[in-house]
Amino acid sequence: MSDLPPRRSLKRWLVTTNHKDIGILYLSTALVFLLLGGLLALIFRAQLWEAGGTGLLSHAEFNQSVSTHGLIMVFWFLSPIATGFANYLVPLQIGAKDLAFPRLNALSYWFYLFSGVMLFISFFMGGSWSGGWTIYAPLNVPMYTPPAPGEPTIGGTMALIALTMFVLSITLGTVNFLTTIHRMRAEGLGLWNMPLFTWSWLLTVWMMLFAFAALLAALLLLVTDHVMLTQYFATDQGSSLLWAHLFWFFGHPEVYIVFFPALGIMFEAFQTFCGRRLVGRKWIIIAMILVAVQSFLVWMHHMFLTTINLEVKTLYMATTIGISLPFDLMVFALIYTMVKGRVRFTTPFLFSLGALVLFILGGITGVFLGAVVLDYEFRGTYWVVAHFHYVMVAGVTALVGGLYYWWPKISGRMYHEFLGKLHFVAYFVGFNLLYFPMFLTWETPRRVFHYPVGDQIWHQAATVGAYVFGFSFLLLFANFAWSLVYGPKAPDNPWKFSRTAEWAIPSPPPLDNWPGRPSYATGKLEFVDDATTADTATDGGPAATDGGTATADEAVAHDQAEDVHGAVHADHASIWPMLIGFSTFVMFIGLSGMNEIVVHFLSDEIIAHLGTDGLSAPSVSAESVIESTTGESTALTTTNYVFGGLFVGGIGLMLISLFQFGREQFHAPTMEIAERWPFENIGTTKLGVWFFLASDVIVFGAVIGAYLFMRIWAGWGNFSPIPEYTWAGLLNTYILLTSSFTVILGLVMAERSNKKGLMASLGATILLGFAFMGVKAWEWTGKFADGDYWFHGLEYSLYYVTTGLHALHVILGLLVGGFMLYRVYTIGAYLEDERPVEYFGLYWHFVDIVWVILFPLFYLL
């Protein structure tokens, strides 16, 4: 499927892979989540109208509303709306026709959408997440997550799995954007000369690559606690501190991940509406790079109240204050640009200026929290809530300005200027009325609706501000609705001093973006007509395909698709990303309810160890576990069968969809002539694989780091190697190292176009992979026969989960290897272009290297 249906067709939005369509989907979906998250905020602000609560919500409902509001706004609104802007604008600003991997871009969106749907389904599964958006341990373990004592926690588990699916979406998008920006910039457009919004997004996705990988690792460990009853965060052996380290290694870079795209929008708006180039542009870029690097060096300032020693706290206090200095430079650059320019107070500029004002207030109040002594006093109070929102909603303010700024380009219509300014007034007044009183009533504990009667006036003012603030967004939607129906048509460039490439083409842009090949070779944007250049030529091979390279048979189809100029028509539609996203959604829904199935089949072993090895209660109470083993309630319920069926059915549908995704002939637009520094000699797909592996290094690093942290905490000598037979681990080491050799042999066979040799090499790699899994299965079943399950103690959880994550990677590699073997056998794939074999080899070698690290950790030390 390559033909793209018209915009008014629902089918268009189910199958599109075009970056502008995906951008619109992200923007519109994020705004829906903004409304849902805002509605929750209005509900719990109404609860806070009177001291002691109005009785509108119960304690559990209040906690769910506050927690889910935080999760939605931080994850399902702020990052995705920025991703929507980036999807639409980054290819236009750098001169590309699409992202490097259009189908993966679509898959990223569908993971995002279905993860949000799953989050709201969790409300109807006994109650959604109620432990705060920071998900602190030990409140994140099953025994503390029920909405009421003894009730199931399927809803809480489902919310955590939804967040995991969202992080997978982020990972796909991050790899895609990094590859695109580094490999698909127009001729003459060096990194230093990229538009500032694209610069801000490049640094954002670099931070995302590592920060969200740490969060993914933390969530994987937590989900195993919920579903499989492991004990990462259920013990008193440093589990709370472990979660804090993992979460805030993600959590503090997330502040800049959220704010950087907004900062990029502010830079673009200030340049356009001040009528001059941004003052200190190069220093601003350097300052952003410094912040991106430093963001990973300050996470422990969120942990000043933990048992970390004072010397370390002092060090992190210094890094926290230090990271504010590059922001000082950026703030003064924006102010000086206004002073030197001729300001026009349009709606986009008003929101950008408002964002600057709010950010200054948020930054100043944040410096208070950077001091250890003051943080002891302010931590967990409304001071933190107010500071956090002044920073984060400063970003929202700039993002709203971006909606107005690029609305003419996206819609082809102008908005109503007076209504836009009225929106800004209501927005700015409502926000400050909502959050500034929180500084005055800062002693109120966060996430608690009981507060002193003397503070009631400030809370009532904040509640009034919340409703004014919420009303302002209705003005936004009313303005855009008016624009679509009555707004005048927008010119190509409605702004006099705009500087970036998207304003050089019609509003809205055509499907393929450009009338020719964009080039900055002369120092300014020009369109070159390369009559003999195929826009979809790949690096050193036949036509490029999204996620692979064309085979001999596909090259025939490629030749047939060429027009008179020799260029391939790029594809813009595929149904398989949506189906993969849906099947993953179904599988994860089923996984959310697997806990009780696990309890049912392991009930005897659970009873034997309840209360003896620090095992926390599972998602059902200990009494119900005992009841299920005494014969009073031994049968699985219909609900259990439904969840089990969804899990198995989702896996089946996913495998079918992935198989068809791999078989589909899809020609992704690439660029034969482009700026690619510093990756000139690395192909596009290969670079994408390297970025993915970099993210996976952080995932394994966090999981292995968790093992080391908890073992050191418990006393290194108190842990004994779980596997009984060292020779089994040594045998598996030899097996995997041998499989790496057979992969290399397969690459040699592909380079020689030796079909039988390639099939034999891939087959040998697969057989060795199965041999590895067979030895691992023999080890595990032997441990189970001895009664040594993963919930019998912390050391057992660490062993089974860490080696199990590696085994999952082996299984994924076997699936890919089996698919490649099928392709070689059926159509002789990879004989004319061996690079997919090389990419598979990179992944397989990585999996082998991880095992070389795990073997001594678990079998020898």
Side-chain angles (χ1 to χ4, degrees), residues 107 111 114 165 576-590 646-658:
L107 180 58
F111 271 21
F114 286 124
M165 188 176 184
W576 301 114
M578 190 275 289
L579 290 179
I580 293 172
F582 177 73
S583 60
T584 307
F585 164 73
V586 172
M587 180 190 71
F588 280 167
I589 289 286
L646 290 172
F647 181 69
V648 175
I651 291 177
L653 180 59
M654 181 196 300
L655 291 175
I656 294 171
S657 300
L658 286 170

Side-chain angles (χ1 to χ4, degrees), residues 391-405:
V391 173
M392 302 297 270
V393 183
V396 175
T397 307
L399 291 166
V400 173
L403 286 174
Y404 281 107
Y405 183 62

Side-chain angles (χ1 to χ4, degrees), residues 16 51 142 148 150 218 305 308 371 398 431 508 587 591 596 645 723 755:
T16 183
L305 268 65
I308 298 170
F431 171 81
M587 180 190 71
L591 182 64
E596 293 186 35
K755 181 177 180 179

Side-chain angles (χ1 to χ4, degrees), residues 671-694:
M671 301 169 66
E672 186 177 77
I673 301 174
E675 297 292 332
R676 297 189 170 107
W677 186 88
F679 300 108
E680 297 97 332
N681 299 319
I682 302 177
T684 300
T685 305
K686 185 176 182 179
L687 184 60
V689 172
W690 277 117
F691 284 135
F692 166 75
L693 292 179

